[in-house]
């Protein structure tokens, strides 16, 4: 079944934070509030070590589970890596792929991102594919070029059917963890470019339904104005997803914005 952007999609990427006890505490608080979140799709993306424990807590809950990365092989001598079947086994439905931190520190490239997307899809894991420009690229007006290249190379070889199972996250690198957020207009400019490209390449029906997330210093007080934009379907939240209160507020603001624009 195709994924659609009918609901606000709010995902919390915890990055390298939270031990198992802390993860359990945070997810338990979110679960208590889940009835208020039913009009959004809410995903927690903890470190690998907490996945299993969180899955147990989320049994029967509408909250979803995702992983922060994966390797494209199913199994073998790849010390330190985690495969898509392992993530499925741990209860994941989503996997972040090509986050800028992985591109910057761990050698992920558009080529490896492409392999990871295909490996995720082969196991029915929904890839959340991250793209975005650096400050230098923005200042030299290379934003659209950069995003276009990452989209083209990252999604190479994917058909319409595949694309109906992929989520894109636009995360300008200069806005990640810096407190600098793209303005709604700056973000929407890129999101609408991405939407146009997807419609051009995969047809209107598929392209118009793809979830395009914004990420980069999303906080409770900027979520509403970002998600009010036509092509911003949700948020990939870093720092503000580490506390139940702020993450819940973000989800509620997302729901409110979505209600008003649809
Ligand atoms: P921050 O919300 O901390 O800026 O992180 C964004 C991000 O990288 C989410 O993947």
């Amino acid at each position: 079944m195709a994924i659609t952007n009918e609901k606000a999609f709010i995902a919390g990427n915890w990055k390298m934070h939270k031990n198992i006890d802390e993860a359990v505490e945070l997810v338990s608080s979110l679960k208590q509030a889940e009835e208020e979140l039913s009009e959004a799709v809410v995903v927690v993306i903890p470190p690998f070590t907490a996945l299993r424990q969180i899955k147990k807590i989320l049994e029967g809950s509408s909250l979803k589970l995702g992983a922060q990365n994966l390797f494209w092989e199913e199994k073998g001598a790849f010390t330190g890596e985690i495969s898509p079947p392992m993530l499925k086994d741990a209860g994941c439905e989503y996997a972040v792929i090509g986050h800028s931190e992985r591109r910057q520190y761990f050698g992920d490239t558009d080529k490896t991102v492409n392999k990871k997307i295909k490996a995720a899809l082969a196991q029915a894991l929904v890839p959340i594919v991250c793209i975005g420009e650096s400050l230098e690229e923005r200042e030299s007006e290379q934003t659209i070029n950069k995003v276009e290249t990452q989209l083209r190379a990252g999604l190479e070889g994917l058909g319409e059917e595949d694309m109906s199972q992929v989520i894109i996250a636009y995360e300008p690198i200069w806005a990640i963890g810096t407190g600098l957020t793209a303005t709604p207009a700056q973000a929407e400019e890129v999101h609408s470019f991405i939407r146009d490209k997807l419609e051009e390449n995969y047809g209107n029906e598929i392209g118009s339904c793809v979830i395009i997330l914004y990420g980069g210093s999303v906080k409770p007080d900027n979520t509403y104005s970002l998600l009010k934009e036509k092509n911003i379907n949700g948020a990939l939240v870093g720092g503000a997803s580490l506390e139940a209160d702020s993450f819940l507020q973000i989800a509620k603001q997302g729901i409110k914005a979505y209600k008003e624009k649809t």
Side-chain angles (χ1 to χ4, degrees), residues 46-117:
F48 292 132
T49 45
L51 286 172
R52 177 90 179 129
Q53 210 66 21
I54 292 182
K55 183 61 191 171
K56 283 191 196 156
I57 297 173
L58 293 185
E59 221 53 77
S61 156
S62 62
L63 303 176
K64 312 280 189 198
L65 190 59
Q68 298 178 18
N69 181 36
L70 52 74
F71 186 56
W72 55 81
E73 295 288 348
E74 286 190 16
K75 57 183 166 183
F78 302 104
T79 302
E81 294 299 322
I82 308 277
S83 73
M86 289 170 175
L87 296 178
K88 284 294 275 197
D89 184 47
C92 292
E93 290 178 55
Y94 300 89
V96 174
I97 293 180
H99 191 281
S100 62
E101 287 148 17
R102 294 222 54 92
R103 295 179 191 253
Q104 185 178 352
Y105 304 124
F106 304 104
D108 282 19
T109 62
D110 290 334
K111 252 204 165 102
T112 62
V113 164
N114 183 254
K115 286 181 155 190
K116 290 182 179 191
I117 295 171

Side-chain angles (χ1 to χ4, degrees), residues 14 21-33 44-46 50 53-55 57-58 61 63 65 244:
W14 298 2
D21 285 347
E22 291 163 344
V24 164
E25 192 184 329
L26 174 51
V27 162
S28 304
S29 306
L30 297 176
K31 197 181 159 189
Q32 275 173 16
V44 292
I45 309 178
Q53 210 66 21
I54 292 182
K55 183 61 191 171
I57 297 173
L58 293 185
S61 156
L63 303 176
L65 190 59

